[in-house]
Amino acid sequence: MIFYIYILFSESSGIYYVGYTTDVSRRFLQHNEFSETSFTSKHRPWKLMAAFEVPGNESDAMKIERFIKKQKSSKFIRKIIDANTELTGVLAQLVRVPIVRD
């Protein structure tokens, strides 16, 4: 099974959200459309800013997601999103997935 790290941005709140999944399109729709009360439901609409394939298993995806979230830095996340940034260290294994933006 292939896992992905994805990064969303809420223009209305000015915040980023990082998650992992096996289906980026499905998760993106869930964040924007499901009526349940959750963190992401309070900051809609979300824009998909980046997605990365994670070589390995779910545990690897969870570790990378946790690493990014622990940085607690919008500047760090913007750097990851930038296609010109060479990912190093823990993030070097990620493979950028082309996404279609609106």
Side-chain angles (χ1 to χ4, degrees), residues 15-63:
I15 59 171
Y16 290 95
Y17 179 83
V18 178
Y20 78 94
T21 186
T22 57
D23 187 336
V24 176
S25 297
R26 179 184 52 80
R27 283 300 287 147
F28 178 66
L29 288 173
Q30 288 174 337
H31 285 298
N32 275 317
E33 294 180 2
F34 279 3
S35 60
E36 68 185 54
T37 301
S38 64
F39 173 80
T40 58
S41 69
K42 298 172 187 163
H43 301 283
R44 290 180 183 145
W46 291 96
K47 289 179 67 174
L48 180 60
M49 301 303 291
F52 303 90
E53 185 177 327
V54 180
N57 56 31
E58 184 174 13
S59 176
D60 296 323
M62 289 173 65
K63 287 175 187 172

Side-chain angles (χ1 to χ4, degrees), residues 57-70:
N57 56 31
E58 184 174 13
S59 176
D60 296 323
M62 289 173 65
K63 287 175 187 172
I64 293 170
E65 176 200 33
R66 201 171 310 121
F67 172 79
I68 295 170
K69 287 181 174 182
K70 282 185 178 181

